[in-house]
Protein backbone atom coordinates (compact mmCIF):
# COMPACT_ATOMS: atom_id res chain seq x y z
CA UNK A 1 0.00 0.00 0.00
CA UNK A 2 1.18 3.45 -0.82
CA UNK A 3 2.43 5.41 2.08
CA UNK A 4 2.40 9.14 2.48
CA UNK A 5 5.82 9.43 3.64
CA UNK A 6 4.88 10.69 6.29
CA UNK A 7 5.13 13.13 10.18
CA UNK A 8 7.38 13.71 19.68
CA UNK A 9 8.90 14.93 22.12
CA UNK A 10 11.19 16.73 24.67
CA UNK A 11 14.69 18.25 24.89
CA UNK A 12 18.22 17.57 26.24
CA UNK A 13 21.43 15.74 25.41
CA UNK A 14 21.65 13.29 22.53
CA UNK A 15 22.74 9.67 22.76
CA UNK A 16 22.74 6.55 20.66
CA UNK A 17 20.14 3.94 21.60
CA UNK A 18 17.83 6.57 23.13
CA UNK A 19 14.76 5.11 24.86
CA UNK A 20 11.78 6.29 26.93
CA UNK A 21 13.61 6.86 30.19
CA UNK A 22 15.96 9.32 28.45
CA UNK A 23 15.08 12.75 27.10
CA UNK A 24 14.73 13.17 23.35
CA UNK A 25 16.45 16.29 21.93
CA UNK A 26 14.00 18.30 19.83
CA UNK A 27 14.50 21.67 18.11
CA UNK A 28 11.64 23.30 16.17
CA UNK A 29 13.02 26.85 16.36
CA UNK A 30 13.82 26.74 12.62
CA UNK A 31 10.12 26.45 11.71
CA UNK A 32 8.86 29.90 10.60
CA UNK A 33 5.70 31.56 11.91
CA UNK A 34 4.47 31.79 8.31
CA UNK A 35 3.00 28.67 6.65
CA UNK A 36 5.60 26.35 5.14
CA UNK A 37 4.77 24.05 2.22
CA UNK A 38 6.81 21.36 0.48
CA UNK A 39 5.69 19.36 -2.55
CA UNK A 40 7.06 16.01 -3.70
CA UNK A 41 6.82 13.92 -6.86
CA UNK A 42 6.05 10.29 -6.10
CA UNK A 43 6.65 7.24 -8.30
CA UNK A 44 6.58 3.48 -7.86
CA UNK A 45 4.81 0.27 -8.78
CA UNK A 46 1.45 1.84 -7.87
CA UNK A 47 1.95 4.65 -10.40
CA UNK A 48 2.84 8.32 -10.14
CA UNK A 49 1.44 10.76 -7.63
CA UNK A 50 2.14 13.74 -5.45
CA UNK A 51 2.70 14.43 -1.75
CA UNK A 52 2.24 17.84 -0.15
CA UNK A 53 3.37 18.67 3.39
CA UNK A 54 2.20 21.87 5.10
CA UNK A 55 3.37 23.12 8.51
CA UNK A 56 2.22 26.09 10.56
CA UNK A 57 3.81 27.37 13.76
CA UNK A 58 1.39 29.53 15.76
CA UNK A 59 1.57 31.17 19.17
CA UNK A 60 0.14 28.03 20.83
CA UNK A 61 1.67 25.12 18.91
CA UNK A 62 2.35 23.46 15.56
CA UNK A 63 -0.09 22.05 12.99
CA UNK A 64 0.94 19.72 10.18
CA UNK A 65 -1.07 18.49 7.19
CA UNK A 66 0.09 15.75 4.81
CA UNK A 67 -1.80 14.97 1.62
CA UNK A 68 -1.03 12.07 -0.73
CA UNK A 69 -2.78 11.44 -4.03
CA UNK A 70 -2.10 8.84 -6.74
CA UNK A 71 -4.21 6.63 -9.03
CA UNK A 72 -6.84 4.96 -6.85
CA UNK A 73 -5.45 6.30 -3.58
CA UNK A 74 -5.92 9.46 -1.51
CA UNK A 75 -4.87 10.17 2.06
CA UNK A 76 -4.92 13.24 4.29
CA UNK A 77 -3.43 13.46 7.78
CA UNK A 78 -3.78 16.50 10.06
CA UNK A 79 -1.93 16.68 13.37
CA UNK A 80 -1.67 19.17 16.23
CA UNK A 81 1.26 19.23 18.67
CA UNK A 82 3.17 21.49 21.05
CA UNK A 83 6.56 23.09 20.32
CA UNK A 84 8.39 20.00 21.66
CA UNK A 85 6.35 17.84 19.24
CA UNK A 86 4.34 16.24 22.00
CA UNK A 87 1.23 15.17 20.04
CA UNK A 88 -2.19 16.54 20.96
CA UNK A 89 -4.54 15.07 18.36
CA UNK A 90 -4.63 13.88 14.77
CA UNK A 91 -7.14 12.93 12.08
CA UNK A 92 -6.46 10.59 9.14
CA UNK A 93 -8.80 10.07 6.18
CA UNK A 94 -7.93 7.52 3.48
CA UNK A 95 -9.74 6.34 0.33
CA UNK A 96 -8.72 3.34 -1.80
CA UNK A 97 -10.12 2.79 -5.31
CA UNK A 98 -13.22 4.78 -4.37
CA UNK A 99 -14.50 1.71 -2.49
CA UNK A 100 -12.70 1.41 0.82
CA UNK A 101 -12.35 4.27 3.26
CA UNK A 102 -10.75 4.48 6.67
CA UNK A 103 -10.97 7.27 9.24
CA UNK A 104 -8.68 7.30 12.29
CA UNK A 105 -8.78 9.86 15.13
CA UNK A 106 -6.13 9.98 17.87
CA UNK A 107 -6.42 12.01 21.07
CA UNK A 108 -3.28 12.01 23.25
CA UNK A 109 -2.89 12.40 27.02
CA UNK A 110 0.21 12.49 29.23
CA UNK A 111 0.79 8.71 29.12
CA UNK A 112 -1.61 7.36 26.52
CA UNK A 113 -3.74 7.82 23.43
CA UNK A 114 -7.42 7.29 22.66
CA UNK A 115 -7.75 5.80 19.16
CA UNK A 116 -10.92 5.50 17.09
CA UNK A 117 -10.88 3.85 13.64
CA UNK A 118 -13.87 3.40 11.33
CA UNK A 119 -13.73 1.43 8.06
CA UNK A 120 -16.21 1.33 5.17
CA UNK A 121 -17.84 -0.63 3.53
CA UNK A 122 -17.27 -3.06 6.41
CA UNK A 123 -18.85 -0.75 9.02
CA UNK A 124 -16.09 -1.83 11.35
CA UNK A 125 -15.32 0.47 14.27
CA UNK A 126 -12.43 0.05 16.69
CA UNK A 127 -11.98 2.20 19.79
CA UNK A 128 -9.21 1.72 22.29
CA UNK A 129 -7.12 3.57 24.88
CA UNK A 130 -3.44 2.65 24.71
CA UNK A 131 -0.76 3.34 27.33
CA UNK A 132 3.02 3.52 26.97
CA UNK A 133 6.05 4.57 29.02
CA UNK A 134 7.81 5.60 25.83
CA UNK A 135 7.30 9.00 24.20
CA UNK A 136 4.64 8.97 21.48
CA UNK A 137 5.02 9.97 17.87
CA UNK A 138 1.90 10.39 15.74
CA UNK A 139 1.93 9.44 12.04
CA UNK A 140 1.25 13.11 11.24
CA UNK A 141 4.57 14.04 12.84
CA UNK A 142 7.07 11.65 11.26
CA UNK A 143 8.58 14.01 8.70
CA UNK A 144 8.63 16.99 11.06
CA UNK A 145 10.18 14.81 13.78
CA UNK A 146 13.04 13.79 11.47
CA UNK A 147 13.69 17.46 10.73
CA UNK A 148 13.67 18.39 14.42
CA UNK A 149 15.78 15.65 16.02
CA UNK A 150 19.46 16.32 16.69
CA UNK A 151 20.69 13.92 14.02
CA UNK A 152 24.29 12.72 13.89
CA UNK A 153 26.01 9.59 12.54
CA UNK A 154 24.82 6.38 14.24
CA UNK A 155 22.22 8.17 16.37
CA UNK A 156 19.18 6.03 17.23
CA UNK A 157 15.74 6.91 18.60
CA UNK A 158 12.63 4.92 19.47
CA UNK A 159 9.03 6.02 20.04
CA UNK A 160 5.64 4.42 20.57
CA UNK A 161 3.19 4.88 17.69
CA UNK A 162 -0.29 3.73 16.71
CA UNK A 163 -0.87 1.15 13.95
CA UNK A 164 -4.20 2.40 12.56
CA UNK A 165 -5.49 -0.84 11.01
CA UNK A 166 -5.23 -2.79 14.27
CA UNK A 167 -5.47 0.07 16.78
CA UNK A 168 -2.39 -1.23 18.59
CA UNK A 169 0.94 0.28 19.65
CA UNK A 170 4.15 -0.58 17.82
CA UNK A 171 7.64 0.92 18.00
CA UNK A 172 8.81 3.54 15.53
CA UNK A 173 12.59 3.25 15.21
CA UNK A 174 14.90 5.86 13.70
CA UNK A 175 18.58 5.33 12.90
CA UNK A 176 21.07 7.56 11.10
CA UNK A 177 22.96 5.12 8.88
CA UNK A 178 25.28 7.35 6.81
CA UNK A 179 25.80 10.73 5.14
CA UNK A 180 25.11 11.18 1.42
CA UNK A 181 24.66 13.96 -1.14
CA UNK A 182 21.37 14.14 -3.07
CA UNK A 183 21.26 16.61 -5.97
CA UNK A 184 24.12 18.65 -4.41
CA UNK A 185 22.36 18.71 -1.01
CA UNK A 186 24.32 17.24 1.92
CA UNK A 187 22.03 14.85 3.79
CA UNK A 188 21.80 12.36 6.61
CA UNK A 189 20.43 9.06 5.35
CA UNK A 190 17.97 7.80 7.97
CA UNK A 191 16.46 4.34 8.29
CA UNK A 192 12.87 4.47 9.52
CA UNK A 193 10.94 1.43 10.78
CA UNK A 194 7.26 2.05 11.52
CA UNK A 195 3.80 0.57 10.87
CA UNK A 196 4.36 0.92 7.12
CA UNK A 197 7.59 -1.12 7.22
CA UNK A 198 11.13 0.05 6.53
CA UNK A 199 12.04 3.12 4.50
CA UNK A 200 15.06 5.30 3.81
CA UNK A 201 14.79 9.06 4.22
CA UNK A 202 17.35 11.69 3.25
CA UNK A 203 17.29 14.71 5.60
CA UNK A 204 19.11 17.92 4.72
CA UNK A 205 21.97 18.49 7.18
CA UNK A 206 21.87 22.29 7.12
CA UNK A 207 19.33 25.05 6.59
CA UNK A 208 15.79 24.03 7.51
CA UNK A 209 16.60 20.28 7.43
CA UNK A 210 14.27 19.56 4.52
CA UNK A 211 13.21 16.03 3.67
CA UNK A 212 14.90 15.74 0.27
CA UNK A 213 14.00 12.18 -0.73
CA UNK A 214 12.32 9.05 0.61
CA UNK A 215 12.28 5.45 -0.59
CA UNK A 216 10.06 2.69 0.82
CA UNK A 217 10.66 -1.07 0.82
CA UNK A 218 8.24 -1.53 -2.12
CA UNK A 219 10.27 0.89 -4.25
CA UNK A 220 8.04 3.96 -3.93
CA UNK A 221 10.20 7.08 -4.21
CA UNK A 222 9.28 10.65 -3.33
CA UNK A 223 11.55 13.53 -4.32
CA UNK A 224 11.33 17.16 -3.29
CA UNK A 225 10.27 19.56 -6.03
CA UNK A 226 12.68 22.54 -5.73
CA UNK A 227 11.12 25.76 -4.48
CA UNK A 228 10.98 28.76 -6.79
CA UNK A 229 11.48 31.13 -3.88
CA UNK A 230 14.48 30.81 -1.53
CA UNK A 231 13.76 28.41 1.32
CA UNK A 232 13.45 30.05 4.77
CA UNK A 233 16.59 29.74 6.84
CA UNK A 234 16.57 29.44 10.62
Amino acid sequence: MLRSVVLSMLMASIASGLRAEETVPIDTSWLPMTPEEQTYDMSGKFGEGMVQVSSLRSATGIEVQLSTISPGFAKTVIGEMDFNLKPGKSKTRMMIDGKISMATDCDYSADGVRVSTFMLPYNQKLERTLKSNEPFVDFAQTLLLLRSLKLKPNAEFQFASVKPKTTTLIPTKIQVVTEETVETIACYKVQLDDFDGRSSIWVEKGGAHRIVKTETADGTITELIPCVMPFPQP
Side-chain angles (χ1 to χ4, degrees):
M1 176 57 57
L2 275 175
R3 57 177 283 134
S4 82
V5 220
V6 282
L7 299 260
S8 288
M9 307 338 84
L10 296 61
M11 298 187 58
S13 58
I14 191 164
S16 292
L18 215 49
R19 293 298 181 263
E21 64 274 10
E22 300 172 89
T23 306
V24 182
I26 293 291
D27 177 19
T28 59
S29 62
W30 52 267
L31 187 63
M33 295 294 289
T34 55
E36 180 205 67
E37 291 190 358
Q38 296 180 4
T39 304
Y40 298 81
D41 280 327
M42 182 172 61
S43 61
K45 66 179 182 180
F46 296 102
E48 297 183 350
M50 184 169 289
V51 177
Q52 187 169 57
V53 184
S54 303
S55 304
L56 176 63
R57 179 188 181 98
S58 68
T60 57
I62 298 171
E63 181 175 307
V64 176
Q65 178 170 322
L66 301 96
S67 300
T68 303
I69 187 166
S70 65
F73 181 85
K75 181 177 180 180
T76 298
V77 184
I78 299 174
E80 299 176 7
M81 62 215 74
D82 68 14
F83 297 120
N84 291 325
L85 298 193
K86 183 177 179 181
K89 60 180 64 178
S90 71
K91 295 180 180 293
T92 301
R93 302 294 182 263
M94 184 168 63
M95 177 69 70
I96 304 171
D97 293 329
K99 301 175 182 178
I100 301 173
S101 67
M102 183 170 74
T104 300
D105 294 349
C106 295
D107 193 355
Y108 292 86
S109 60
D111 63 346
V113 55
R114 179 68 176 172
V115 187
S116 175
T117 297
F118 185 70
M119 295 184 68
L120 288 172
Y122 313 110
N123 290 326
Q124 180 183 9
K125 187 173 184 178
L126 299 173
E127 289 187 320
R128 193 170 297 168
T129 298
L130 306 170
K131 301 286 186 178
S132 176
N133 292 323
E134 289 189 313
F136 281 98
V137 60
D138 186 85
F139 24 81
Q141 297 177 279
T142 307
L143 296 183
L144 187 60
L145 176 65
L146 290 173
R147 299 175 64 190
S148 303
L149 287 168
K150 303 280 189 180
L151 300 180
K152 68 177 184 179
N154 302 315
E156 296 182 12
F157 307 90
Q158 180 167 311
F159 302 88
S161 58
V162 175
K163 185 174 183 178
K165 290 183 180 178
T166 58
T167 321
T168 56
L169 286 180
I170 63 168
T172 288
K173 298 179 181 179
I174 297 167
Q175 180 181 10
V176 180
V177 294
T178 190
E179 299 177 45
E180 293 184 354
T181 299
V182 179
E183 298 292 337
T184 73
I185 301 173
C187 297
Y188 288 116
K189 183 181 179 181
V190 177
Q191 178 177 290
L192 173 70
D193 291 282
D194 63 5
F195 67 88
D196 267 335
R198 175 166 292 181
S199 59
S200 295
I201 301 179
W202 286 262
V203 184
E204 183 180 31
K205 293 176 65 176
H209 313 297
R210 295 171 295 177
I211 304 299
V212 177
K213 178 182 175 181
T214 73
E215 184 172 356
T216 65
D218 65 16
T220 300
I221 296 175
T222 61
E223 295 179 291
L224 178 66
I225 299 175
C227 301
V228 176
M229 298 297 290
F231 197 84
Q233 298 297 309

